[in-house]
C-alpha cells in the first residue's frame, strides 16, 4: 500500500482523510498529545486493521475520539455527574475518561472490557477530521507497538509507511506525551496513565483520585492491570536506557566516569556541556512541559546517533513531570540507579 502524505493546511486534505476513514481505511492524525492512528470506531473491520498495522497485542483496547460533547452520549452506558464536570473543566484537551460502554462500541475497540475510553481532543485538525468523517474515531498512538509514540508526521511515516492509507501532517504535537487516563468505572476514580492534565487538576474536580500502582511501579509477573497497555514494555528506543537519580553534578560525574563508545546521555538543556559523551537534551530542568514535548523525539534521536546505552536524567515526578517520569520509567524497563 502507498501511504499518501496530506498537508492538513488544505480543506481538500481533510476531506480526503475523512473519505479514507469513512471507507474503512487508516489515517495518521495529529492531536495535541501525540499522533494517532485513526479509523472509524464503529467499524470493527477497520479497527482490526489498526492492530495489524501497529503489531498491537489483541487485548489492548483503543481510545475513541469525539469532536462534539453530545457524541459521548451514544458511546457510553451512562454519563455520570463527575464525568460531566471533568468534561466541562478539561475538554477539549489531553484527557481520556474510561466509562461503562454502550452497545455501539465494537468488541474490536474494547477488546472484551465492559468499558471504553473517550477523548475529545483540542487539536483543530483532529476535530476537523472527526467532524468531516461524521463518525467517532478510534486511535491509538501512531507508532509501531512498543516504540516511542510519534509527535511529528515524519515519525509516523518512519513507523507506518506502507502500512496505512495516509498521514495528515498538522505539524509537531504541543503536549508531546499521551493523554491522561482516568477511570470513572472505579470508585473512587483512579488515574491509570498520567499526562497533560495533572493529578492535581483531576482532584480539584473529583476530590479523591487514587493512583493506580502501575503508574509508578513495574507490574508483578502475571498481574492484570486495569489498563491493559500498562503491562507491555513501551516507549523503548533500541538502546538500553538507565535512569540516574541524582543532582546535576552527581549525574555528570557518573556519566563521565562511564564514558565509552556507544554510551550517550539524555539530559536537561545546557547539561550537554558538562558531559564527555554524545548527549541529547529534552527540555530545561525547570520546564516540565518542555520535557514532555521533547521526550519522544529525544528517544528517537538517540537511536539515530547509534546509542547503545543511554544514561537518562531523572524527571521530577510532579505535575506534568509525572507523565514524563512514567514514560521514561517504561522506556528504561524501570531500571533506576540512585546516585545519592
Ligand atoms: O493521547 C492519547 O491518548 C493518544 C492520542 C492519539 O489520542 N492515544 C493513545 O492511545 O495514547 P494508546 O492506544 O496508545 O494508549 C491508550 C491506552 C492503552 O494503554 C490502553 O490499554 C488504555 O489506554 N485503555 C484504552 N481503553 C481502556 C479501557 N476501557 N480501560 C482501561 N484502559 C484503557
Ligand atoms: Mg500508545
Amino acid at each position: 500500500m502507498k501511504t499518501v502524505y496530506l498537508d492538513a493546511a488544505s480543506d481538500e486534505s481533510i476531506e480526503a482523510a475523512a473519505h479514507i476513514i469513512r471507507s474503512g481505511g487508516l489515517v495518521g492524525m495529529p492531536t495535541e498529545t501525540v499522533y494517532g492512528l485513526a479509523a472509524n470506531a464503529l467499524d470493527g473491520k477497520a479497527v482490526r486493521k489498526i492492530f495489524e498495522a501497529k503489531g498491537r497485542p489483541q487485548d489492548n483496547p483503543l481510545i475513541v475520539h469525539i469532536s462534539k460533547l453530545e457524541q459521548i452520549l451514544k458511546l457510553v452506558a451512562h454519563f455520570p455527574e463527575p464525568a460531566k464536570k471533568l468534561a466541562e473543566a478539561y475538554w477539549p484537551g489531553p484527557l481520556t475518561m474510561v466509562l461503562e460502554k454502550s452497545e455501539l462500541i465494537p468488541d474490536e475497540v474494547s477488546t472484551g472490557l465492559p468499558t471504553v475510553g473517550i477523548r475529545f481532543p483540542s487539536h483543530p485538525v483532529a476535530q476537523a477530521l472527526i467532524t468531516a468523517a461524521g463518525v467517532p474515531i478510534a486511535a491509538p498512538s501512531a507508532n509501531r507497538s512498543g516504540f516511542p509514540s510519534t509527535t511529528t508526521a515524519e515519525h509516523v511515516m518512519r513507523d507506518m509507511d506502507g502500512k496505512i492509507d495516509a498521514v495528515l501532517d498538522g505539524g509537531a504535537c504541543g503536549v508531546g506525551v499521551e493523554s491522561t487516563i482516568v477511570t470513572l468505572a472505579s470508585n473512587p476514580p483512579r488515574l491509570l496513565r498520567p499526562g497533560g492534565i495533572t493529578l492535581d487538576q483531576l482532584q480539584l474536580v473529583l476530590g479523591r483520585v487514587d493512583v493506580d500502582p502501575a503508574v509508578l511501579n513495574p507490574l508483578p509477573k502475571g498481574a492484570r492491570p486495569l489498563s491493559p497497555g500498562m503491562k507491555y514494555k513501551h516507549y523503548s528506543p533500541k538502546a538500553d536506557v538507565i535512569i540516574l537519580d541524582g543532582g546535576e553534578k552527581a549525574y555528570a560525574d557518573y556519566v563521565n566516569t562511564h564514558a565509552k563508545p556507544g554510551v550517550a546521555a539524555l539530559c536537561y538543556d545546557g547539561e550537554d556541556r558538562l558531559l564527555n559523551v554524545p548527549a541529547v537534551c529534552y527540555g530545561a530542568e525547570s520546564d516540565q512541559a518542555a520535557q514532555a514535548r521533547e521526550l519522544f523525539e529525544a528517544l528517537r534521536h538517540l537511536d539515530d546517533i547509534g546509542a547503545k546505552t543511554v544514561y537518562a536524567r531523572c524527571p521530577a515526578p510532579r505535575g506534568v513531570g509525572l507523565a514524563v517520569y512514567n514514560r521514561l520509567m517504561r522506556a528504561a524497563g524501570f531500571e533506576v540507579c540512585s546516585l545519592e
Side-chain angles (χ1 to χ4, degrees):
M1 165 191 311
K2 171 145 177 45
T3 301
V4 180
Y5 173 91
L6 298 168
D7 182 346
S10 88
D11 290 347
E12 294 87 67
S13 290
I14 304 282
E15 196 33 61
H19 178 75
I20 293 170
I21 299 285
R22 284 194 299 270
S23 323
L26 302 182
V27 175
M29 162 182 85
T31 83
E32 72 278 23
T33 57
V34 298
Y35 272 72
L37 193 48
N40 177 354
L42 304 181
D43 177 350
K45 210 169 134 211
V47 170
R48 239 175 287 147
K49 292 185 194 164
I50 292 179
F51 286 81
E52 280 161 33
K54 280 195 63 144
R56 183 176 176 100
Q58 299 290 336
D59 64 349
N60 196 2
L62 303 178
I63 294 172
V64 176
H65 299 71
I66 58 175
S67 61
K68 287 188 187 59
L69 186 58
E70 59 267 27
Q71 277 178 298
I72 195 175
L73 300 173
K74 290 198 169 149
L75 303 173
V76 299
H78 328 275
F79 189 31
E81 204 49 43
K84 283 185 191 148
K85 286 196 189 138
L86 271 187
E88 204 171 298
Y90 304 124
W91 272 358
L95 174 68
T96 299
M97 290 188 227
V98 173
L99 293 160
E100 201 183 318
K101 69 171 189 155
S102 77
E103 295 292 306
L104 212 56
I105 301 291
D107 278 344
E108 285 86 351
V109 169
S110 51
T111 65
L113 295 178
T115 54
V116 63
I118 308 283
R119 180 158 109 79
F120 182 169
S122 63
H123 198 293
V125 174
Q127 290 183 0
L129 178 59
I130 300 164
T131 299
V135 289
I137 281 184
S141 49
N143 51 285
R144 276 195 291 150
S145 207
F147 284 73
S149 297
T150 49
T151 53
T152 64
E154 191 214 323
H155 292 167
V156 178
M157 270 302 204
R158 273 211 235 165
D159 273 26
M160 292 294 157
D161 193 12
K163 298 193 174 109
I164 62 177
D165 297 279
V167 59
L168 192 52
D169 187 351
C173 301
V175 178
V177 290
E178 307 82 347
S179 61
T180 302
I181 304 181
V182 61
T183 179
L184 299 165
S186 300
N187 191 12
R190 185 178 275 245
L191 176 69
L192 300 181
R193 181 175 73 183
I197 299 295
T198 63
L199 182 59
D200 285 348
Q201 285 176 297
L202 296 178
Q203 284 167 339
L204 202 63
V205 173
L206 297 174
R208 178 170 169 192
V209 178
D210 288 350
V211 177
D212 197 85
V215 168
L216 290 173
N217 306 293
L219 278 172
K221 236 187 156 55
R224 286 223 263 124
L226 269 184
S227 181
M230 292 285 191
K231 71 175 177 246
Y232 298 108
K233 188 168 160 114
H234 250 117
Y235 316 116
S236 312
K238 296 183 189 94
D240 251 337
V241 179
I242 298 153
I243 298 174
L244 300 182
D245 188 7
E248 181 183 85
K249 180 164 186 320
Y251 173 80
D253 286 349
Y254 187 97
V255 172
N256 288 336
T257 34
H258 291 77
K260 61 176 183 196
V263 167
L266 177 62
C267 60
Y268 292 138
D269 289 356
E271 293 179 342
D272 46 341
R273 284 190 309 256
L274 309 172
L275 304 172
N276 299 331
V277 300
V280 175
C281 302
Y282 77 112
E285 181 165 15
S286 59
D287 188 349
Q288 297 186 309
Q291 293 164 26
R293 195 164 53 239
E294 294 175 28
L295 178 68
F296 289 136
E297 164 118 49
L299 289 174
R300 284 175 179 261
H301 191 69
L302 284 159
D303 275 344
D304 293 344
I305 64 172
K308 299 284 177 278
T309 302
V310 172
Y311 292 119
R313 189 86 141 81
C314 188
R318 291 185 301 276
V320 177
L322 184 62
V324 181
Y325 184 80
N326 167 275
R327 304 310 188 276
L328 198 52
M329 280 297 240
R330 282 180 164 66
F334 290 93
E335 203 177 337
V336 183
C337 173
S338 172
L339 302 178
E340 304 306 322

